């Protein structure tokens, strides 16, 4: 399993793609098209939102699990975009139990954010939260509902009954017509039909046959609805447990849990971020790291590496390995600050505080590590790295609580130093 150890955008897409050549299945288990995963293959760059990054590896079967929320129009346009570029997408499997992001979920996401004003979460506006809310409220629409018009109509009616009251009376918006929604959804039915499958059965049978299955998380640990910086989180479980419910596999089946960890920290949207920089160092990280959102095009907030968060990610996910990404971006700093603990109300705190108030007050305690100026993008092994870069990696490993098994030194597939095998 592979997941984000920070606030998303750690480089999960690249890591998944790298492993794609040696695995049989890549499964997305949560989130939706709020994700933006970049994969660079040769001179080709792909931005994937809903499709598992394994789709670019010909031998690999990509699976969208039951825990994902699916916007059919986005899925179909992502598929046709890849087809136009010569990528074969015919192996895709889509869970019949995955929930559908309907047009009214997108509307509710946008109006809710507007209503929250300065208290807004800064969502991607893709309808993610409202769709998961409908799922939990038991008024959601699932992929399988597209194949029974009468049930679909009843379910859309039930969902819109309350929503139209809220939209018209509270938000002063126009009511959404049931027929129009049903018609639009039915239009997707035939187009999606070739992909719909009992993915839980398929994945478990594959595991019984000793096939290699990789679960690819969207977002990251600190955006987890249970373990993240609530309420500034996404509405699903990107953490390791989410893969079990979101794909229908037992925890005994998971052998490795790889945390993707950026050599510094970024975050998109609102919420606390202790090591955030507002100076020219932050600007430089953003510029050199190309830290602009793949989904919304927003500038990412940037800051130094936070070992407290990395330790926390190790714990809540039971990480067996880290994949450290974007080490190349740190080239050129004379000294690199790393947050080793927080100071909260005058006290030194070594672990992530569970209280939101404390976390909002957390100030980073920095240790300075010596930097390097040599270009590292061509490094193929750990010993190719300058001594100070090696020490930086070793220091992060020591602080973070799991071995760093691979290091990214550039966006391309082969710009990776593999230290331990992941398989
Ligand atoms: P994801 O959401 O976790 O898949 O990450 P994103 O794709 O949103 O953001 C990561 C960005 O960093 C993308 O532009 C990647 O191409 C790029 N990237 C990934 N690994 C590396 C690396 O090791 N070095 C550099 N310079 N860029 C990387
Ligand atoms: P990947 O998979 C970074 C953030 C949004 C917002 C919060 C809630 O590319 O790492 P949502 O639309 O999910 O309800 O928004 O979560 N967010 C992400 N930030 N990377 C992502 O995905 C994100 N997906 C959601 O910016 O703060
Ligand atoms: Mg991303």
């Amino acid at each position: 399993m592979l997941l984000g150890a920070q606030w998303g955008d750690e480089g999960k897409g690249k890591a998944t793609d790298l492993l794609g050549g040696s695995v049989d299945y890549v499964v997305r288990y949560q989130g939706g098209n709020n994700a933006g995963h970049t994969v660079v293959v040769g001179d080709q760059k792909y931005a994937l939102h809903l499709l598992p990054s394994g789709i670019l590896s010909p031998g690999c079967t990509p699976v969208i699990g039951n825990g994902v929320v699916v916007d059919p129009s986005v899925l179909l346009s992502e598929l046709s975009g890849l087809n136009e570029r010569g990528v074969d997408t015919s192996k895709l499997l889509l869970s019949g139990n995955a929930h559908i992001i309907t047009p009214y979920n997108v509307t509710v996401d946008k109006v809710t954010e507007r209503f929250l004003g300065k208290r807004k979460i800064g969502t991607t506006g893709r309808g993610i939260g409202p769709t998961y809310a409908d799922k939990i409220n038991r008024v959601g629409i699932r992929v399988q509902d597209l194949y029974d018009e009468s049930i679909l109509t009843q379910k859309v009616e039930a969902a819109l009954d309350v929503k139209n009251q809220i939209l018209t009376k509270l938000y002063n918006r126009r009511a959404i017509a049931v027929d129009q929604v049903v018609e639009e959804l039915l239009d997707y039915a035939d187009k999606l039909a070739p992909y719909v499958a009992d993915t839980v059965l398929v994945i478990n049978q594959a595991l019984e046959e000793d096939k290699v299955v990789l679960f690819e998380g969207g977002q990251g640990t600190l955006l987890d609805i249970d373990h993240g910086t609530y309420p500034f989180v996404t509405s699903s479980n990107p953490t390791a447990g989410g893969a079990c419910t979101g794909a229908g596999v037992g925890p005994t089946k998971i052998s490795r849990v790889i945390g993707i960890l950026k050599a510094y920290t970024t975050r998109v949207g609102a919420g606390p971020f202790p090591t955030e920089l507002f100076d020219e160092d932050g600007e430089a990280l953003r510029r050199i790291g190309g830290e602009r959102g793949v989904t919304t095009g927003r500038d990412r907030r940037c800051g130094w590496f936070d070992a407290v968060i990395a330790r926390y990610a190790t714990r809540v996910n039971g990480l067996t390995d880290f994949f450290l990404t974007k080490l190349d971006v740190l080239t050129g700093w004379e000294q690199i600050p790393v947050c080793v603990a927080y100071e909260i109300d005058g006290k030194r705190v070594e672990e992530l505080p569970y209280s939101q108030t404390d976390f909002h007050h957390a100030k980073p305690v920095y240790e300075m590590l010596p930097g390097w100026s040599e270009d590292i993008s061509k490094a193929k092994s750990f010993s190719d790295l300058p001594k100070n870069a090696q020490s930086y990696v070793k220091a992060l490993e020591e602080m973070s609580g799991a071995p760093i098994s691979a290091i990214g030194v550039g966006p391309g597939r082969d710009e990776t130093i593999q230290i331990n095998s992941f398989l």
Side-chain angles (χ1 to χ4, degrees):
M1 182 189 314
L2 191 158
L3 51 84
Q6 293 149 323
W7 274 288
D9 304 323
E10 299 90 349
K12 298 177 291 293
K14 173 189 157 165
T16 306
D17 170 66
L18 186 70
L19 288 172
S22 33
V23 307
D24 300 299
Y25 292 80
V26 174
V27 186
R28 277 281 309 268
Y29 56 87
Q30 49 67 238
N33 57 307
N34 47 350
H37 296 178
T38 318
V39 180
V40 179
V41 187
D43 61 355
Q44 294 287 309
K45 185 170 169 177
Y46 301 88
L48 302 168
H49 297 286
L50 202 42
L51 291 167
S53 306
I55 196 125
L56 300 171
S57 302
C60 175
T61 302
V63 182
I64 297 178
N66 56 278
V68 175
V69 288
V70 177
D71 185 326
S73 66
V74 172
L75 177 57
L76 291 167
S77 73
E78 204 164 311
L79 286 169
S80 62
L82 288 178
N83 294 153
E84 278 162 24
R85 295 174 72 178
V87 178
D88 174 17
T89 57
S90 60
K91 282 181 155 181
L92 175 71
L93 300 178
L94 167 63
S95 167
N97 284 345
H99 280 248
I100 288 190
I101 302 178
T102 63
Y104 50 80
N105 294 133
V106 178
T107 305
V108 170
D109 192 355
K110 289 182 178 153
V111 291
T112 311
E113 282 280 278
R114 216 168 298 147
F115 208 71
L116 280 170
K118 63 178 181 10
R119 287 168 297 165
K120 71 177 181 190
I121 308 292
T123 72
T124 58
R126 301 298 193 267
I128 306 295
T131 306
Y132 278 114
D134 278 2
K135 174 177 175 174
I136 299 300
N137 281 332
R138 295 164 292 190
V139 292
I141 311 292
R142 294 188 293 175
V143 169
Q144 58 176 293
D145 298 328
L146 301 182
Y147 302 97
D148 187 324
E149 185 173 346
S150 140
I151 284 192
L152 179 67
T153 309
Q154 287 172 41
K155 288 191 175 180
V156 172
E157 259 166 17
L160 280 179
D161 250 2
V162 178
K163 275 188 196 70
N164 273 336
Q165 300 282 336
I166 296 172
L167 282 173
T168 52
K169 296 193 179 140
L170 190 62
Y171 293 123
N172 211 13
R173 304 272 299 204
R174 248 181 297 154
I176 296 170
V178 173
D179 296 355
Q180 219 171 324
V181 173
V182 170
E183 196 181 316
E184 178 176 339
L185 293 179
L186 285 176
D187 190 44
Y188 298 127
D190 286 348
K191 295 176 187 148
L192 293 179
Y195 308 111
V196 180
D198 181 351
T199 54
V200 175
L201 185 63
V202 172
I203 295 167
N204 281 284
Q205 281 175 339
L207 287 168
E208 271 160 35
E209 289 164 17
D210 283 333
K211 295 268 192 330
V212 183
V213 181
L214 177 66
F215 300 93
E216 177 191 12
Q219 294 76 52
T221 300
L222 276 298
L223 285 173
D224 186 281
I225 186 86
D226 285 276
H227 302 292
T229 46
Y230 190 91
F232 302 101
V233 292
T234 193
S235 298
S236 66
N237 289 114
T239 50
C244 295
T245 47
V249 289
T252 50
K253 299 282 163 62
I254 313 283
S255 51
R256 298 283 279 274
V257 187
I258 306 161
I260 314 302
L261 187 67
K262 213 182 295 207
Y264 50 98
T265 314
T266 62
R267 156 159 226 179
V268 193
F273 177 1
T275 64
E276 182 169 16
L277 293 167
F278 300 95
D279 58 7
E280 58 273 25
D281 280 334
E283 201 42 60
L285 286 174
R286 190 172 304 117
R287 190 183 66 249
I288 302 166
E291 297 298 351
R292 181 174 286 255
V294 180
T295 300
T296 56
R298 288 179 287 181
D299 273 355
R300 293 174 181 155
R301 301 158 62 191
C302 295
W304 299 120
F305 183 82
D306 185 335
V308 181
I309 280 173
R311 274 200 294 281
Y312 178 74
T314 305
R315 188 178 312 131
V316 296
N317 295 300
L319 295 182
T320 57
D321 304 81
F322 277 115
F323 188 143
L324 186 71
T325 61
K326 303 191 101 161
L327 186 63
D328 54 302
V329 174
L330 293 180
T331 300
W333 267 275
E334 230 164 84
Q335 288 205 306
I336 309 169
V338 168
C339 168
V340 293
Y342 299 141
E343 193 191 296
I344 301 172
D345 301 331
K347 278 203 208 82
R348 185 182 165 107
V349 175
E350 304 282 338
E351 302 298 346
L352 199 89
Y354 73 87
S355 130
Q356 186 188 351
T357 313
D358 284 351
F359 195 59
H360 275 273
H361 293 162
K363 297 206 174 51
V365 176
Y366 286 119
E367 203 171 277
M368 303 303 273
L369 299 180
W372 60 92
S373 56
E374 300 90 333
D375 173 21
I376 61 168
S377 63
K378 303 283 177 302
K380 291 285 170 242
S381 69
F382 189 68
S383 57
D384 291 343
L385 293 175
K387 280 280 164 299
N388 285 350
Q390 291 188 14
S391 316
Y392 185 81
V393 174
K394 283 287 155 208
L396 262 47
E397 182 172 80
E398 192 111 317
M399 293 169 193
S400 304
I404 291 175
S405 294
I407 303 167
V409 291
R413 241 183 216 174
D414 18 296
E415 290 170 309
T416 305
I417 298 172
Q418 192 82 44
I419 300 170
N420 306 310
S421 160
F422 286 127
L423 300 171

